């Protein structure tokens, strides 16, 4: 198994360097904010590539349910993207680690996977949530992200592929090191 992949039950967890808006998977996860009204980074890229229908759906969600709390996620269609769905997850802003950031970040990943499984998708792509504008240290965030996904996939979910799409080589390398550690946790 290459060092950027890990088999977990029937599922494959993999790491790639690339642009999440170009991934050929059934659902991509957005690193959103509580307003759901778009932003920069991944959020800006997904709304630009997906087109206005995604924002229209987000506005309807806002009217019905208000802001999306940090650590939670909502699901919309994929608009012009290859993906059928966009899952808008709100990660925590890093405040130094004493504000329950780790638990909230894990929740953002878990809630995204639950929405994906609920929508019946088999393949999901994640960005590195919270490690850009929200300042979460990548070394800490990657361990939380990969462990949370590993634990979810071991529950025998219907999802058979989870792909982390990292935007630069440094982030990829940090995730690859974290994946190695997660892999050793799996060995009997
Ligand atoms: N594909 C994959 N990864 C990307 C892309 C892309 N097209 N664009 C940026 N990234 C990477 C960043 O390099 C970073 O590693 O996604 C990671 C998350 O960065 P942000 O997009 O800044 O997300 P986050 O740190 O969670 O901050 C969210 O930023 O854009 C606003 O509206 C958003 O308020 C929210 C906040």
């Amino acid at each position: 198994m290459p060092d950027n992949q890990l088999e977990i039950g029937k599922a494959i967890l993999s790491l790639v360097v690339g642009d999440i808006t170009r991934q050929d998977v059934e659902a991509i996860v957005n690193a959103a904010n509580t307003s759901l009204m778009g932003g920069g980074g991944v959020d800006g890229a997904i709304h630009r590539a997906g087109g206005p229908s995604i924002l229209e759906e987000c506005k309807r969600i806002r009217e019905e349910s208000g802001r999306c709390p940090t650590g939670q996620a909502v699901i919309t269609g994929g608009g012009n993207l290859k993906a059928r769905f966009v899952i808008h997850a709100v990660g925590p802003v890093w405040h130094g680690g004493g504000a329950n950031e780790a638990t909230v970040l894990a929740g953002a990943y878990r809630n995204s996977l639950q929405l994906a499984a609920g929508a019946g998708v088999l393949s999901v792509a994640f960005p590195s949530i919270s490690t850009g504008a929200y300042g979460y240290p990548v070394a800490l965030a990657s361990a939380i992200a990969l462990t949370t996904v590993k634990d979810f996939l071991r529950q025998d979910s219907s999802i058979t592929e989870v792909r982390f799409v990292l935007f630069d080589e440094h982030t990829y390398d940090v995730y690859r090191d974290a994946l190695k550690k997660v892999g050793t946790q799996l060995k009997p």
Side-chain angles (χ1 to χ4, degrees):
M1 182 73 59
D3 67 359
N4 68 329
Q5 287 187 348
L6 188 60
E7 213 166 337
I8 302 167
K10 306 185 304 302
I12 290 279
L13 172 50
S14 65
L15 312 175
V16 297
V17 177
D19 178 342
I20 198 164
T21 66
R22 306 178 66 79
Q23 300 302 310
D24 193 2
V25 291
E26 290 180 86
I28 64 171
V29 177
N30 180 19
N33 59 58
T34 60
S35 79
L36 298 175
M37 291 297 106
V42 175
D43 206 357
I46 287 176
H47 280 282
R48 265 193 310 280
S53 66
I54 297 175
L55 187 60
E56 288 315 306
E57 281 194 65
C58 288
K59 285 177 181 169
R60 279 200 293 279
I61 292 169
R62 274 293 301 275
E63 279 153 25
E64 282 157 25
S65 325
R67 285 180 172 270
C68 179
T70 301
Q72 295 292 329
V74 298
I75 188 167
T76 67
N80 305 324
L81 292 164
K82 289 180 189 154
R84 286 167 54 208
F85 300 102
V86 176
I87 293 167
H88 306 265
V90 183
V93 177
W94 177 252
H95 291 296
N100 211 23
E101 293 98 325
T103 305
V104 174
L105 183 61
Y109 281 99
R110 192 176 315 107
N111 290 322
S112 298
L113 289 165
Q114 281 166 351
L115 282 173
V121 306
L122 300 178
S123 55
V124 189
F126 279 101
S128 176
I129 298 172
S130 284
T131 65
Y134 281 0
Y136 211 118
V138 185
L140 300 175
S142 55
I144 292 164
L146 295 173
T147 302
T148 304
V149 170
K150 180 256 298 175
D151 291 342
F152 185 90
L153 293 177
R154 287 176 88 175
Q155 288 165 2
D156 183 31
S157 85
S158 55
I159 296 168
T160 57
E161 180 188 357
V162 175
R163 186 184 305 174
F164 277 82
V165 185
L166 291 328
F167 210 43
D168 58 82
E169 290 294 338
H170 167 70
T171 304
Y172 174 87
D173 290 346
V174 175
Y175 268 77
R176 192 199 45 218
D177 294 346
L179 189 67
K180 223 175 277 169
K181 292 197 186 90
V182 167
T184 56
Q185 292 165 7
L186 280 176
K187 293 198 177 34

